[in-house]
Amino acid sequence: MSTVAPQLVTSEFTPPEASHVEDYSIRTNDLSLWYGDFQALMDVSVNIKKGIITGLIGPSGCGKTTLLRCFNRINERYGNVTTTGDIEILDKNIYDEDVSVRQLRRSVGMVFQRPNPLPISIYDNVLFGMGIHDAFKSLPKSERNDIVENALREVDLWNTVKDRLKSRATTLTLEQQQKLCIARLLPLKPDIILMDEPCSALDAEGIEKVENLIESLRDEYTVVIVTHNMAQARRATDECIFMLLGEIIEHTKTSEMFLNPQHEKTEMYIQGRYG
Amino acid sequence: MSESSPTTGQGFSLRRGIEKVIDFTEPAVVGLIHLCGWSAIIFVMAIFFFVFKESLPAITGLEEGAVHGEVEQLDLVEFTTSPKWIPESAKKPTFGILALMVGTLSVTILSMVIAVPLGLGAAVYVSEFAKGKPREILKVLIELLAAIPSVVWGFIGLVVLNPMLVDMTGEPVGLNILNAGIVLALMSVPIIVSVSEDALRAVPDSFREAGIALGANRWEMVYKVLFPAAKNGLLAAVLLGIGRGIGETMAVLMCTGHSVMMPTSIFDPVRTLTATIAAELGEAVRGDMHYHTLFLIGVVLFVFAFIINLTADLIVKGIKVQGNE
Ligand SMILES: Nc1ncnc2c1ncn2[C@@H]1O[C@H](COP(=O)(O)OP(=O)(O)OP(=O)(O)O)[C@@H](O)[C@H]1O
Ligand SMILES: [Mg+2]
């Protein structure tokens, strides 16, 4: 079993062949979500383009996190969640019977608001995902080391931590921890990376560095990023989605949204006149 | 206004009065709290001192109880290496606690083999899988389990488990290591469950989300995320369970069969250190060799407890040091 090449294991969740030309990584159709009786998302239909950075903005409590957490079905952790409508990721409905949640989460990585590296070594953190997906059992140690090195290089952390790969990840600074949280997604070769206010726990310097890192992920990955920081949305995103009370109000190119918002509410929000 | 000002003045002076009383009593209260803290330490020291003092004559020798007028002294080599415990022999009493130590260890180890998986499993279930009503009921039941007096556990071992083991194993008597191990396991499960459940619930939810978002299912989340994250607490739980096992007296007195022998299987009866003290201290002649030797066994138990706590401390500290490097 362990001789199966890592790539083959993904076969449970691969888009149909024709999809190589698709433009959209994520498509939702009339997606509604309730926490118990409370409706947090209302008929959300949105198409998120492949290979760009899409920002999700809106006042507190408008459902940004909720929407983001639908895309890897991690919302299902809470027992009281009901969803209707469709979500297609890489042209595959993620609520289909034959979809394995495990493979879905392999293709759709997530970075959280507070850096949450696991309380194990830096090295083990990077390989954690591969361990879950049985992807490194057959790999010799040198190749594992390469995987760790490549992932850490990609997030610009290698030079800082290469001498202490075996120390606990929780001893890193918050900025380094957040980079590590991004790095641990990379060995799984995800298509989409979801980020929920990835910079909000960092100081100004950390924000800049992590932002640069996020921008370097463009092209190779589809990034969806929730942010409260208008300047960041402006700087780092290609397209922006403005949400209000569980609904999508506007979804355009970032430059257009900030220069020429179509909706009054969008304008009010980006000018800081909303929560 | 003229009416209200005296009342406020009075209220003010009343408060001042209270403040004064507080100012006055505070040092006393602080002193009392200090006393409580120190008294715990003093009691432990006093107990240790007393047990040690009572055991000392066995080692240094005692004259009064000597059979032929010469100084009677405990042979420490015999004490630690002989499996023969014949304290009341008229001809030649023998004080070897090897069999008793083996008895204590075998019962404790067996009970841990049963209780650790059971306790950890229950803790994981209660903290991660059970929800709502069942969870609350389960917690109450486990706490109830902890409240059962040990003599009742001994009774269960004697009356319920004993015939069951006879039926199942075909041994003539069901009072043996297995019986005591099971009873002791059931007794230590509640403490293991409650301490390790606390440890698991103290793991921040963000760790769980990290694991799940990387594709872990709930079991992988438990053993790849929660166990490493909570390992200090879990270790503490296991060590507390072991401590419970080594210190338990009444239940093992009733369930082990209480016969001094070196066991060769878990179906053999044994006798433990604690049960020996409990059973014999009352009838030992105060001041003779038997009496002092029983206190020496108490010291041995102290040493066991000390070693367990020390290893626990070292392991926990070791983990911390590693983490800070
Ligand atoms: N687990 C939950 N159970 C019940 N209600 C929830 C839950 N999570 C979120 N909500 C509610 O759903 C609504 C949307 O929450 P969500 O966290 O998605 O907002 P958000 O846009 O991410 O806000 P913020 O900017 O503060 O992070 C809020 O009103 C919130 O109270
Ligand atoms: Mg949020």
Side-chain angles (χ1 to χ4, degrees), chain A residues 33-36 38-41 57-69 75 78 80-81 113 196-197 226-228 243 246 269:
Chain A
L33 183 144
W34 289 261
Y35 292 111
F38 174 77
Q39 186 167 9
L41 294 179
I57 58 173
S60 206
C62 70
K64 307 181 293 292
T65 301
T66 304
L67 179 61
L68 200 72
R69 286 167 70 92
N75 264 337
Y78 308 122
N80 62 345
V81 174
Q113 191 163 354
D196 192 354
E197 304 187 37
V226 172
T227 177
H228 262 131
M243 288 183 74
Y269 179 71

Short mmCIF file of all heavy atoms in Angstrom, two decimals, chain A residues 33-36 38-41 57-69 75 78 80-81 113 196-197 226-228 243 246 269, ligand 1:
data_model
loop_
_atom_site.label_atom_id
_atom_site.label_comp_id
_atom_site.label_asym_id
_atom_site.label_seq_id
_atom_site.Cartn_x
_atom_site.Cartn_y
_atom_site.Cartn_z
N LEU A 33 -26.74 29.38 4.56
CA LEU A 33 -26.26 28.63 5.73
C LEU A 33 -26.92 29.14 6.99
O LEU A 33 -27.07 30.35 7.16
CB LEU A 33 -24.74 28.75 5.82
CG LEU A 33 -24.07 27.96 6.96
CD1 LEU A 33 -22.72 27.44 6.50
CD2 LEU A 33 -23.89 28.80 8.21
N TRP A 34 -27.31 28.22 7.83
CA TRP A 34 -27.92 28.58 9.11
C TRP A 34 -27.10 28.00 10.26
O TRP A 34 -26.65 26.86 10.20
CB TRP A 34 -29.33 28.00 9.22
CG TRP A 34 -30.35 28.61 8.33
CD1 TRP A 34 -31.26 29.56 8.68
CD2 TRP A 34 -30.60 28.30 6.95
NE1 TRP A 34 -32.06 29.87 7.61
CE2 TRP A 34 -31.68 29.12 6.53
CE3 TRP A 34 -30.03 27.44 6.02
CZ2 TRP A 34 -32.18 29.08 5.24
CZ3 TRP A 34 -30.52 27.39 4.74
CH2 TRP A 34 -31.59 28.22 4.35
N TYR A 35 -26.89 28.84 11.28
CA TYR A 35 -26.42 28.30 12.56
C TYR A 35 -27.66 28.16 13.43
O TYR A 35 -28.17 29.15 13.94
CB TYR A 35 -25.47 29.27 13.25
CG TYR A 35 -24.14 29.47 12.57
CD1 TYR A 35 -23.83 30.68 11.97
CD2 TYR A 35 -23.20 28.44 12.54
CE1 TYR A 35 -22.60 30.88 11.36
CE2 TYR A 35 -21.97 28.62 11.93
CZ TYR A 35 -21.68 29.84 11.34
OH TYR A 35 -20.46 30.03 10.75
N GLY A 36 -28.18 26.96 13.57
CA GLY A 36 -29.45 26.81 14.26
C GLY A 36 -30.53 27.54 13.49
O GLY A 36 -30.78 27.23 12.32
N PHE A 38 -30.42 30.85 13.05
CA PHE A 38 -29.88 32.12 12.54
C PHE A 38 -29.25 31.93 11.16
O PHE A 38 -28.35 31.10 10.97
CB PHE A 38 -28.82 32.63 13.53
CG PHE A 38 -28.10 33.85 13.05
CD1 PHE A 38 -28.72 35.09 13.10
CD2 PHE A 38 -26.82 33.74 12.52
CE1 PHE A 38 -28.05 36.21 12.64
CE2 PHE A 38 -26.16 34.86 12.05
CZ PHE A 38 -26.77 36.10 12.12
N GLN A 39 -29.76 32.69 10.19
CA GLN A 39 -29.23 32.56 8.83
C GLN A 39 -28.02 33.46 8.66
O GLN A 39 -28.12 34.68 8.73
CB GLN A 39 -30.31 32.90 7.80
CG GLN A 39 -29.82 32.63 6.38
CD GLN A 39 -30.94 32.64 5.37
OE1 GLN A 39 -32.07 33.01 5.67
NE2 GLN A 39 -30.63 32.24 4.14
N ALA A 40 -26.88 32.86 8.42
CA ALA A 40 -25.64 33.64 8.32
C ALA A 40 -25.27 33.92 6.87
O ALA A 40 -24.57 34.90 6.60
CB ALA A 40 -24.51 32.91 9.01
N LEU A 41 -25.70 33.08 5.93
CA LEU A 41 -25.45 33.33 4.51
C LEU A 41 -26.77 33.26 3.77
O LEU A 41 -27.58 32.37 4.00
CB LEU A 41 -24.49 32.29 3.93
CG LEU A 41 -23.06 32.27 4.46
CD1 LEU A 41 -22.28 31.16 3.77
CD2 LEU A 41 -22.37 33.61 4.24
N ILE A 57 -14.30 41.18 2.01
CA ILE A 57 -14.35 42.26 2.99
C ILE A 57 -15.80 42.49 3.42
O ILE A 57 -16.73 42.04 2.75
CB ILE A 57 -13.75 43.57 2.45
CG1 ILE A 57 -14.48 44.02 1.19
CG2 ILE A 57 -12.27 43.40 2.16
CD1 ILE A 57 -14.05 45.39 0.69
N GLY A 58 -15.94 43.20 4.51
CA GLY A 58 -17.27 43.50 5.01
C GLY A 58 -17.20 43.70 6.51
O GLY A 58 -16.25 43.29 7.14
N PRO A 59 -18.23 44.33 7.05
CA PRO A 59 -18.20 44.61 8.49
C PRO A 59 -18.24 43.33 9.32
O PRO A 59 -18.58 42.27 8.83
CB PRO A 59 -19.46 45.46 8.71
CG PRO A 59 -20.32 45.20 7.55
CD PRO A 59 -19.44 44.85 6.41
N SER A 60 -17.91 43.49 10.57
CA SER A 60 -17.86 42.35 11.50
C SER A 60 -19.22 41.65 11.54
O SER A 60 -20.26 42.29 11.60
CB SER A 60 -17.49 42.87 12.88
OG SER A 60 -16.89 41.86 13.60
N GLY A 61 -19.18 40.34 11.47
CA GLY A 61 -20.41 39.57 11.60
C GLY A 61 -21.20 39.42 10.32
O GLY A 61 -22.31 38.92 10.33
N CYS A 62 -20.61 39.82 9.17
CA CYS A 62 -21.38 39.75 7.93
C CYS A 62 -21.29 38.38 7.28
O CYS A 62 -21.95 38.12 6.28
CB CYS A 62 -20.91 40.83 6.95
SG CYS A 62 -19.27 40.50 6.30
N GLY A 63 -20.47 37.50 7.81
CA GLY A 63 -20.44 36.14 7.28
C GLY A 63 -19.21 35.79 6.46
O GLY A 63 -19.19 34.78 5.76
N LYS A 64 -18.16 36.59 6.53
CA LYS A 64 -16.95 36.31 5.76
C LYS A 64 -16.33 34.99 6.17
O LYS A 64 -16.05 34.12 5.34
CB LYS A 64 -15.91 37.44 5.96
CG LYS A 64 -16.43 38.82 5.69
CD LYS A 64 -15.36 39.87 5.88
CE LYS A 64 -14.91 40.02 7.32
NZ LYS A 64 -15.92 40.59 8.23
N THR A 65 -16.13 34.86 7.48
CA THR A 65 -15.54 33.62 7.98
C THR A 65 -16.43 32.42 7.65
O THR A 65 -15.95 31.38 7.21
CB THR A 65 -15.35 33.71 9.51
OG1 THR A 65 -14.50 34.82 9.78
CG2 THR A 65 -14.73 32.46 10.06
N THR A 66 -17.72 32.64 7.82
CA THR A 66 -18.66 31.55 7.54
C THR A 66 -18.54 31.08 6.09
O THR A 66 -18.45 29.88 5.82
CB THR A 66 -20.10 32.04 7.82
OG1 THR A 66 -20.16 32.51 9.16
CG2 THR A 66 -21.10 30.93 7.62
N LEU A 67 -18.52 32.04 5.17
CA LEU A 67 -18.42 31.68 3.76
C LEU A 67 -17.10 30.95 3.49
O LEU A 67 -17.08 29.90 2.84
CB LEU A 67 -18.51 32.94 2.89
CG LEU A 67 -18.41 32.72 1.38
CD1 LEU A 67 -19.54 31.81 0.91
CD2 LEU A 67 -18.47 34.05 0.62
N LEU A 68 -16.03 31.48 4.04
CA LEU A 68 -14.72 30.88 3.80
C LEU A 68 -14.69 29.44 4.32
O LEU A 68 -14.17 28.54 3.67
CB LEU A 68 -13.65 31.71 4.52
CG LEU A 68 -12.22 31.52 4.04
CD1 LEU A 68 -12.06 32.17 2.68
CD2 LEU A 68 -11.24 32.13 5.03
N ARG A 69 -15.29 29.25 5.47
CA ARG A 69 -15.26 27.93 6.10
C ARG A 69 -16.18 26.93 5.42
O ARG A 69 -16.16 25.75 5.75
CB ARG A 69 -15.59 28.04 7.59
CG ARG A 69 -14.46 28.64 8.41
CD ARG A 69 -14.91 29.03 9.79
NE ARG A 69 -15.18 27.87 10.63
CZ ARG A 69 -14.28 27.31 11.42
NH1 ARG A 69 -13.07 27.79 11.48
NH2 ARG A 69 -14.59 26.26 12.13
N ASN A 75 -16.95 24.04 8.44
CA ASN A 75 -18.13 24.48 9.19
C ASN A 75 -18.88 23.32 9.81
O ASN A 75 -19.57 23.48 10.80
CB ASN A 75 -19.09 25.19 8.24
CG ASN A 75 -18.90 26.68 8.29
OD1 ASN A 75 -18.40 27.19 9.27
ND2 ASN A 75 -19.29 27.36 7.24
N TYR A 78 -19.31 22.26 13.68
CA TYR A 78 -20.36 22.67 14.61
C TYR A 78 -21.59 21.85 14.28
O TYR A 78 -22.00 21.76 13.13
CB TYR A 78 -20.67 24.16 14.46
CG TYR A 78 -19.46 25.04 14.54
CD1 TYR A 78 -19.14 25.90 13.51
CD2 TYR A 78 -18.62 24.99 15.65
CE1 TYR A 78 -18.04 26.72 13.58
CE2 TYR A 78 -17.51 25.80 15.72
CZ TYR A 78 -17.21 26.67 14.69
OH TYR A 78 -16.11 27.46 14.76
N ASN A 80 -24.68 22.38 14.67
CA ASN A 80 -25.97 23.02 14.38
C ASN A 80 -26.01 23.74 13.04
O ASN A 80 -26.78 24.64 12.85
CB ASN A 80 -26.30 24.02 15.50
CG ASN A 80 -25.27 25.13 15.57
OD1 ASN A 80 -24.19 25.00 14.99
ND2 ASN A 80 -25.60 26.21 16.25
N VAL A 81 -25.16 23.31 12.11
CA VAL A 81 -25.07 24.03 10.83
C VAL A 81 -25.90 23.32 9.76
O VAL A 81 -25.81 22.12 9.59
CB VAL A 81 -23.60 24.13 10.37
CG1 VAL A 81 -23.52 24.72 8.98
CG2 VAL A 81 -22.80 24.96 11.34
N GLN A 113 -6.86 32.85 11.66
CA GLN A 113 -6.64 34.20 12.15
C GLN A 113 -5.48 34.24 13.15
O GLN A 113 -4.57 35.04 13.01
CB GLN A 113 -7.93 34.66 12.83
CG GLN A 113 -7.95 36.11 13.17
CD GLN A 113 -9.37 36.57 13.44
OE1 GLN A 113 -10.33 35.84 13.26
NE2 GLN A 113 -9.49 37.82 13.86
N ASP A 196 -8.12 33.37 6.72
CA ASP A 196 -9.06 34.18 7.50
C ASP A 196 -8.29 35.20 8.32
O ASP A 196 -7.72 34.87 9.35
CB ASP A 196 -9.89 33.25 8.40
CG ASP A 196 -11.07 33.99 9.01
OD1 ASP A 196 -11.16 35.22 8.82
OD2 ASP A 196 -11.88 33.34 9.67
N GLU A 197 -8.26 36.41 7.86
CA GLU A 197 -7.51 37.49 8.53
C GLU A 197 -6.13 37.03 8.99
O GLU A 197 -5.81 37.08 10.17
CB GLU A 197 -8.31 38.02 9.71
CG GLU A 197 -9.69 38.50 9.30
CD GLU A 197 -10.43 39.19 10.44
OE1 GLU A 197 -9.75 39.90 11.20
OE2 GLU A 197 -11.65 39.03 10.55
N VAL A 226 -9.73 36.76 3.78
CA VAL A 226 -10.63 37.65 4.51
C VAL A 226 -9.78 38.71 5.17
O VAL A 226 -8.75 38.41 5.75
CB VAL A 226 -11.40 36.88 5.61
CG1 VAL A 226 -12.18 37.84 6.50
CG2 VAL A 226 -12.32 35.84 5.00
N THR A 227 -10.20 39.95 5.06
CA THR A 227 -9.43 40.99 5.76
C THR A 227 -10.31 42.14 6.20
O THR A 227 -11.33 42.45 5.58
CB THR A 227 -8.26 41.50 4.89
OG1 THR A 227 -7.61 42.55 5.60
CG2 THR A 227 -8.75 42.01 3.56
N HIS A 228 -9.91 42.72 7.31
CA HIS A 228 -10.58 43.91 7.81
C HIS A 228 -9.83 45.16 7.41
O HIS A 228 -10.28 46.27 7.63
CB HIS A 228 -10.62 43.86 9.35
CG HIS A 228 -11.92 43.36 9.86
ND1 HIS A 228 -12.01 42.38 10.81
CD2 HIS A 228 -13.19 43.68 9.53
CE1 HIS A 228 -13.28 42.12 11.05
NE2 HIS A 228 -14.01 42.90 10.29
N MET A 243 -19.24 41.93 1.38
CA MET A 243 -20.41 41.25 1.95
C MET A 243 -21.07 42.12 3.00
O MET A 243 -20.42 42.90 3.68
CB MET A 243 -19.98 39.93 2.62
CG MET A 243 -19.58 38.86 1.66
SD MET A 243 -19.19 37.34 2.54
CE MET A 243 -20.81 36.79 3.01
N GLY A 246 -24.60 38.73 5.42
CA GLY A 246 -24.76 37.41 4.80
C GLY A 246 -25.01 37.43 3.31
O GLY A 246 -25.24 36.40 2.70
N TYR A 269 -18.64 51.57 3.18
CA TYR A 269 -17.77 50.68 3.95
C TYR A 269 -16.29 50.96 3.70
O TYR A 269 -15.50 51.08 4.63
CB TYR A 269 -18.08 49.21 3.65
CG TYR A 269 -17.18 48.28 4.42
CD1 TYR A 269 -17.32 48.13 5.79
CD2 TYR A 269 -16.15 47.59 3.78
CE1 TYR A 269 -16.49 47.31 6.51
CE2 TYR A 269 -15.31 46.76 4.49
CZ TYR A 269 -15.48 46.62 5.85
OH TYR A 269 -14.65 45.82 6.58
N1 LIG C 1 -20.65 28.74 15.47
C1 LIG C 1 -21.60 29.69 15.36
N2 LIG C 1 -22.80 29.50 15.94
C2 LIG C 1 -23.76 30.46 15.86
N3 LIG C 1 -23.62 31.61 15.21
C3 LIG C 1 -22.45 31.87 14.62
C4 LIG C 1 -21.37 30.92 14.66
N4 LIG C 1 -20.32 31.43 13.98
C5 LIG C 1 -20.72 32.64 13.55
N5 LIG C 1 -21.99 32.90 13.91
C6 LIG C 1 -22.77 34.10 13.57
O1 LIG C 1 -22.81 34.19 12.18
C7 LIG C 1 -22.62 35.53 11.75
C8 LIG C 1 -21.45 35.58 10.79
O2 LIG C 1 -20.28 35.26 11.49
P1 LIG C 1 -18.86 35.25 10.82
O3 LIG C 1 -17.92 34.76 11.85
O4 LIG C 1 -18.93 34.52 9.56
O5 LIG C 1 -18.64 36.80 10.56
P2 LIG C 1 -17.33 37.53 10.04
O6 LIG C 1 -17.75 38.30 8.86
O7 LIG C 1 -16.24 36.57 9.86
O8 LIG C 1 -17.06 38.49 11.24
P3 LIG C 1 -15.65 39.02 11.77
O9 LIG C 1 -15.23 40.06 10.81
O10 LIG C 1 -15.97 39.56 13.11
O11 LIG C 1 -14.72 37.85 11.81
C9 LIG C 1 -22.40 36.35 12.99
O12 LIG C 1 -23.58 37.02 13.31
C10 LIG C 1 -22.08 35.36 14.06
O13 LIG C 1 -22.60 35.75 15.29
#
